[in-house]
Amino acid sequence: MASHRYACGVDAESIDRYRPGGYHPTRLGDQLKSGRYKILHKVGWGGYSTTWAARDHEHQRYVAVKISVAEANKNHETSILRLISSSPSHTHGGKEHIVQLLDSFCIEGPNGKHQCLVLELLGPNIPELIDSYLRDERLPAQAARSIAHQVLMGVDFLAQLSIGHGDIHARNIALTLPRLDSLNEQEFIDTLGQPELGRVQRTDGSAPEIHVPSYIVRPAPFKAKQVLQSLRAPVIKIIDFGESFLPNQAPATLHTPLVVRAPEVLFDDPIDRRVDLWSLGCLLFELFTGQPPFDSIMQTPAGLISQMIQFSTDELPDRWEAKWQTMQEKRVQYADDDPPYTLQKWLEEVYFDTQRRCELTKRDIDKIGELVGLLLRWEPARRSSAKDIANDPWFR
């Protein structure tokens, strides 16, 4: 089914993914699992799922229902989340910063059989939070410090279970919104924002096929008041375990966004959970500055590695030299008259932007640069652990 046959005025998931093996055509008001879960709004979407806000009538609470594409691996993410949920909460404070699995089931639809994960309902992720609610285009300093520490604790908790998340980046860090369960359905929808629907139409004027929904829902914007109140003492959760793995299940590669992808992935080395430490270093930089350390516009693997070399405090491993030379030979070179930056110099330039409010001192930025540098090491074995970074006195 070609995407040009359909049009919709709402910018959300791709309509051409509504096909056999693809997304389930979910509608507002749908009742899932014999009426237990009532769909009220959309809260997000990705390449392999759509996620919906729903009322759990059995437990009188609001939840997120993540409906995977029919062709997705139905057991992988569920098994990881069940392992996390089965771990005692009192043994590690980081568990409270991992989204919790509440239920799982399957549904049948015109596009096949879909795995549904019922998760805690969360608010906006970090980029959504910044883009929609913050004028400075970055987090307030105290919120950034608190969120950074919580993410570090969460990743350390996963490390204790030998779980690699595999996809640590700002869009997979979401803010919690307390007191939602006390609202009735209309108050709840008002808090999320009234659903905006875009009618799906075939460009040839024919009726839509059964595989395609009659409308697309724009994800909930969330009311600013609720979000900004939560940001005063933020509590976050790490979400999306679609790329996660255990030691005996490490994938050959990962699909982490290129700009935060660990070098061992770029060089096709064996992968283990220490890829999360590199991504953590990139995330810490972004939480405080509002942008990742490496360029994200028109980036290529070779261009990214060139920047990594510029910012690194250690040497490129010998085993990667030959591959790097080959990549350089194929790379299009551009003239660049700007002087080279160190990681610390770049961090200072990005943070001390005269058009933004600067709440942190030069000493704070020096410390952040030091911590980021301990994570952005070529060799996974030389990266500091999340626990060591979280225990640094600067976070107290």
Side-chain angles (χ1 to χ4, degrees):
M1 183 175 68
S3 60
H4 66 266
R5 290 169 55 189
Y6 288 90
C8 176
V10 163
D11 181 21
E13 69 271 17
S14 175
I15 301 173
D16 69 337
R17 292 284 281 155
Y18 285 98
R19 53 170 174 73
Y23 294 131
H24 176 66
T26 307
R27 296 174 58 91
L28 300 177
D30 281 355
Q31 307 268 351
L32 307 182
K33 202 177 182 182
S34 302
R36 176 174 172 179
Y37 301 107
K38 180 182 177 181
I39 300 296
L40 300 175
H41 211 315
K42 183 192 283 176
V43 290
W45 57 272
Y48 298 96
S49 64
T50 56
T51 304
W52 303 81
R55 181 67 173 173
D56 177 356
H57 291 301
E58 184 171 312
H59 291 290
Q60 298 303 306
R61 63 188 177 187
Y62 295 103
V63 297
V65 180
K66 181 177 180 179
I67 306 176
S68 296
V69 296
E71 61 197 10
N73 182 331
K74 299 178 178 61
N75 299 314
H76 168 73
E77 185 174 9
T78 310
S79 62
I80 293 284
L81 288 169
R82 283 178 177 156
L83 174 60
I84 291 168
S85 295
S86 66
S87 175
S89 297
H90 67 272
T91 59
H92 197 298
K95 183 177 179 180
E96 68 178 278
H97 301 301
I98 307 294
V99 67
Q100 297 298 303
L101 178 68
L102 305 174
D103 191 13
S104 64
F105 58 94
C106 289
I107 58 173
E108 293 273 2
N111 294 330
K113 188 174 183 179
H114 305 261
Q115 176 81 13
C116 299
L117 303 181
V118 182
L119 304 158
E120 296 173 281
L121 179 64
L122 302 173
N125 63 40
I126 299 300
E128 290 170 344
L129 175 62
I130 292 171
D131 292 346
S132 300
Y133 308 100
L134 300 176
R135 294 179 182 176
D136 258 355
E137 299 181 344
R138 64 184 178 207
L139 294 167
Q142 198 52 44
R145 192 189 303 230
S146 175
I147 290 170
H149 189 249
Q150 293 174 50
V151 175
L152 288 162
M153 290 179 63
V155 172
D156 182 55
F157 168 74
L158 295 176
Q160 300 303 307
L161 298 178
S162 299
I163 295 172
H165 183 277
D167 203 15
I168 294 289
H169 57 86
R171 291 194 177 276
N172 283 339
I173 311 300
L175 186 68
T176 63
L177 297 180
R179 299 180 296 278
L180 291 178
D181 291 340
S182 63
L183 305 176
N184 63 40
E185 284 188 14
Q186 189 55 56
E187 291 170 334
F188 174 76
I189 291 171
D190 288 343
T191 297
L192 268 64
Q194 287 296 321
E196 180 183 344
L197 311 183
R199 185 182 173 193
V200 174
Q201 296 178 294
R202 274 185 57 151
T203 54
D204 61 5
S206 301
E209 295 162 289
I210 190 173
H211 310 293
V212 180
S214 57
Y215 57 81
I216 298 290
V217 183
R218 187 187 298 277
F222 294 97
K223 288 293 180 67
K225 180 179 178 182
Q226 184 94 11
V227 173
L228 294 175
Q229 284 177 343
S230 298
L231 194 59
R232 292 173 188 168
V235 177
I236 59 87
K237 304 264 185 177
I238 299 171
I239 63 172
D240 195 345
F241 283 75
E243 293 277 317
S244 59
F245 57 91
L246 293 168
N248 60 346
Q249 303 167 337
T253 190
L254 290 168
H255 302 94
T256 318
L258 178 61
V259 73
V260 298
R261 200 172 297 174
E264 58 268 34
V265 181
L266 299 174
F267 282 104
D268 300 318
D269 253 24
I271 292 168
D272 62 36
R273 60 177 174 78
R274 292 172 297 188
V275 294
D276 290 344
L277 300 175
W278 179 278
S279 297
L280 264 178
C282 297
L283 178 63
L284 292 189
F285 188 107
E286 184 172 357
L287 288 175
F288 290 101
T289 68
Q291 67 180 63
F294 306 112
D295 287 342
S296 57
I297 299 174
M298 302 294 288
Q299 187 58 278
T300 64
L304 179 59
I305 293 167
S306 179
Q307 278 194 288
M308 289 177 174
I309 291 171
Q310 182 176 325
F311 286 171
S312 66
T313 56
D314 55 348
E315 296 297 321
L316 183 74
D318 291 342
R319 67 184 182 280
W320 292 343
E321 278 288 353
K323 186 164 188 176
W324 171 232
Q325 291 301 322
T326 300
M327 293 172 77
Q328 279 186 299
E329 290 168 6
K330 296 180 180 178
R331 182 184 172 209
V332 177
Q333 300 291 335
Y334 297 96
D336 189 358
D337 297 327
D338 294 329
Y341 278 93
T342 63
L343 176 65
Q344 186 63 47
K345 184 178 178 182
W346 180 237
L347 175 61
E348 291 174 16
E349 177 153 326
V350 173
Y351 183 77
F352 293 114
D353 184 324
T354 55
Q355 297 182 8
R356 296 174 175 179
R357 182 174 55 175
C358 298
E359 302 169 289
L360 296 172
T361 66
K362 172 68 164 56
R363 181 176 294 181
D364 289 325
I365 295 302
D366 286 345
K367 170 53 74 170
I368 293 167
E370 175 191 328
L371 298 177
V372 170
L374 291 171
L375 293 163
L376 297 185
R377 297 280 178 83
W378 292 107
E379 290 286 8
R382 297 193 66 234
R383 296 170 196 159
S384 290
S385 68
K387 182 177 182 179
D388 286 345
I389 302 294
N391 286 340
D392 190 279
W394 187 77
F395 283 108
R396 294 173 193 160

